[in-house]
Amino acid sequence: MQEKPIDREEILKELDEIHKLDNNYADGRILGSMCTEAHPFAKEVYCKFLDTNLGDPGLFKGTKFIEDEVIKSIGNLLSLDNAFGNIVTGGTEANIMAIRAARNHARKYKGITDGEIIIPESAHFSFKKAADMLNLNIVEAKLDENYKIDVNALKDVISDKTVAIVAIAGTTELGLIDSIEEISQIAHENNIYFHVDAAFGGFSIPFLKEIGYDLPVFDFSLPGVCSITVDPHKMGLAPIPAGGIIFRKEEYLNVMAVDSPYLTVKTQSTVVGTRIGASSAATYAIMKYFGREGYCKLAENLMNNTKFLKEGLEEIGYDVVCEPELNIVAFNHPDFDANVLSEKLEKLNWKVSVAKCPVAIRIVLMNHIKKSHLKELLEDLKEIY
């Protein structure tokens, strides 16, 4: 740190120059991210609540009320009348909380001390973090020919050490939805905690189903589902960080609660202590602002763009990996490797990512990507072809 204060305008000028190194969602060149630019109204509300701390909720009773209302609203969206949970930093923290709840529940009620979690090969890397932090072993269930968890393979790896089964509603690489209804029944029959990672799909599947899309059931209407991760900072258009973890029962929060004697509450269940209330407030505001009708329109627009890109790719000769269920398109060039294609697109300033299972270029059709950007992308891909 320098000795003397620096003028405000000089600092802002420096920051503006550094900020230019960042990619900008509005340019439409970020094609591989599951996050997007937050809605201006959500940003405005976020700033109003910057000084609130949900880690000490007795001091911020209004903001805690807001978080509770958000959890109630998201729970209702996921077919749960009486929801419990928190708005956290994102899907990773939400998934860690779910697995911690499952481990502690199995430890307390089943006496399992050396537990395992069953995850599909398509699971997000956050579950590896959770297993590492919580001293659990990972057992991967193979995928079927449609890149979804193979239910028979899942049955084969269940053991008396299984503390949780995980399935995905909107896989990170392909946006696919596992056979959650069938897995829910298996988990329920075996008395095993079942977590659904719907960080990506949770804020689109309910709205797409509402407007007529034929998508699988994934929510708390299935009796085996114990918790669901859903991220408002993805399709919900809330600012980062705004992840959500929803539990069916309060006991799942209680089994991981620790004493917090210095605060205005007696116990705390979240991973972090200090939690900004701005994320909850912004999510509360933007959900009210859009309503179900607004989110249905947003979800439909994203799927229209997804269909446009998929059909455009096929017209110019690219191989689309699978029929998109949600707003992700994965594809390959028929003659050369996805990594080579990624490098070619990077030189044209397109920011794509490469899926690993299967290896393919992966485009996530988020709200900042307009049809005009897709037309430009297809023209460049045509030239590359």
Side-chain angles (χ1 to χ4, degrees):
M1 182 182 292
Q2 76 289 335
E3 287 294 326
K4 296 182 179 180
I6 296 176
D7 180 73
R8 176 180 182 274
E9 294 304 318
E10 186 177 341
I11 296 169
L12 290 174
K13 183 178 179 181
E14 179 192 8
L15 289 172
D16 284 342
E17 287 301 311
I18 296 171
H19 195 20
K20 289 177 182 177
L21 298 173
D22 294 338
N23 290 296
N24 191 333
Y25 286 119
D27 293 338
R29 314 296 288 193
I30 299 176
L31 301 178
S33 174
M34 284 183 157
C35 292
T36 189
E37 185 175 8
H39 192 278
F41 180 48
K43 292 181 185 180
E44 179 185 343
V45 173
Y46 188 93
C47 291
K48 289 180 183 291
F49 286 80
L50 277 175
D51 297 325
T52 59
N53 174 20
L54 285 174
D56 204 355
L59 300 179
F60 303 96
K61 294 180 180 178
T63 308
K64 179 55 182 169
F65 169 80
I66 289 171
E67 182 185 36
D68 291 343
E69 288 298 299
V70 170
I71 295 302
K72 187 187 301 182
S73 293
I74 296 176
N76 180 258
L77 184 67
L78 302 175
S79 304
L80 187 61
D81 292 332
N82 192 21
F84 303 91
N86 296 102
I87 297 298
V88 293
T89 54
T92 292
E93 186 180 354
N95 288 336
I96 290 170
M97 281 185 67
I99 298 305
R100 183 168 174 243
R103 183 202 66 173
N104 288 10
H105 198 268
R107 180 186 288 172
K108 181 176 181 178
Y109 294 103
K110 296 182 180 180
I112 300 175
T113 56
D114 55 345
E116 299 173 345
I117 57 172
I118 300 173
I119 65 173
E121 290 179 340
S122 56
H124 188 260
F125 57 79
S126 57
F127 292 101
K128 293 181 179 178
K129 291 184 181 181
D132 182 50
M133 294 169 69
L134 299 168
N135 197 29
L136 295 168
N137 294 315
I138 285 179
V139 177
E140 285 193 338
K142 296 183 181 301
L143 303 183
D144 62 20
E145 66 278 6
N146 298 312
Y147 306 108
K148 300 182 182 185
I149 189 169
D150 186 315
V151 176
N152 289 323
L154 167 66
K155 290 178 182 177
D156 290 341
V157 293
I158 291 174
S159 75
D160 56 6
K161 294 183 179 181
T162 304
V163 302
I165 296 170
V166 173
I168 319 296
T171 55
T172 305
E173 295 190 316
L174 300 176
L176 300 176
I177 304 165
D178 284 326
S179 303
I180 291 170
E181 186 168 7
E182 195 172 353
I183 298 168
S184 169
Q185 185 175 348
I186 294 167
H188 193 59
E189 289 172 353
N190 287 275
N191 191 28
I192 296 172
Y193 187 104
F194 181 33
H195 175 63
V196 177
D197 180 5
F200 185 64
F203 244 94
S204 61
I205 298 171
F207 304 116
L208 291 171
K209 288 172 73 70
E210 198 164 309
I211 59 176
Y213 279 75
D214 184 17
L215 295 172
V217 181
F218 77 103
D219 61 14
F220 290 104
S221 62
L222 303 172
V225 175
C226 300
S227 58
I228 299 178
T229 289
V230 52
D231 280 0
H233 67 210
K234 292 185 170 73
M235 265 77 79
L237 298 187
I240 296 169
I245 176 65
I246 311 295
F247 292 102
R248 181 185 291 275
K249 301 176 183 178
E250 191 174 17
E251 71 180 73
Y252 295 132
L253 283 167
N254 292 340
V255 293
M256 55 179 172
V258 299
D259 293 340
S260 50
Y262 319 110
L263 305 179
T264 54
V265 289
K266 293 180 180 180
T267 60
Q268 191 176 85
S269 300
T270 49
V271 174
V272 298
T274 302
R275 286 191 301 122
I276 190 167
S279 300
S280 291
T283 302
Y284 178 88
I286 201 64
M287 287 181 73
K288 282 184 169 291
Y289 181 80
F290 278 112
R292 297 183 79 99
E293 183 179 317
Y295 278 123
C296 283
K297 289 179 181 177
L298 285 172
E300 185 174 28
N301 179 62
L302 295 180
M303 290 308 296
N304 286 341
N305 283 346
T306 301
K307 181 181 179 182
F308 176 81
L309 176 60
K310 183 234 177 202
E311 292 177 350
L313 287 165
E314 290 174 334
E315 284 177 11
I316 59 177
Y318 284 84
D319 299 324
V320 176
V321 170
C322 60
E323 185 69 28
E325 284 189 308
L326 299 177
N327 46 308
I328 295 180
V329 178
F331 64 95
N332 279 305
H333 191 284
D335 297 327
F336 51 78
D337 184 80
N339 290 297
V340 174
L341 181 54
S342 175
E343 290 172 5
K344 290 178 180 291
L345 289 169
E346 177 69 32
K347 289 177 181 177
L348 295 171
N349 200 32
W350 293 107
K351 308 300 179 183
V352 300
S353 64
V354 178
K356 300 301 180 188
C357 185
V359 176
I361 297 292
R362 164 183 167 274
I363 306 293
V364 188
L365 285 298
M366 296 301 286
N367 200 60
H368 61 273
I369 302 171
K370 312 303 179 190
K371 191 161 283 187
S372 58
H373 300 135
L374 297 177
K375 289 178 179 178
E376 187 178 349
L377 172 66
L378 287 167
E379 284 299 316
D380 283 346
L381 285 168
K382 192 174 181 179
E383 287 296 317
I384 290 171
Y385 196 87

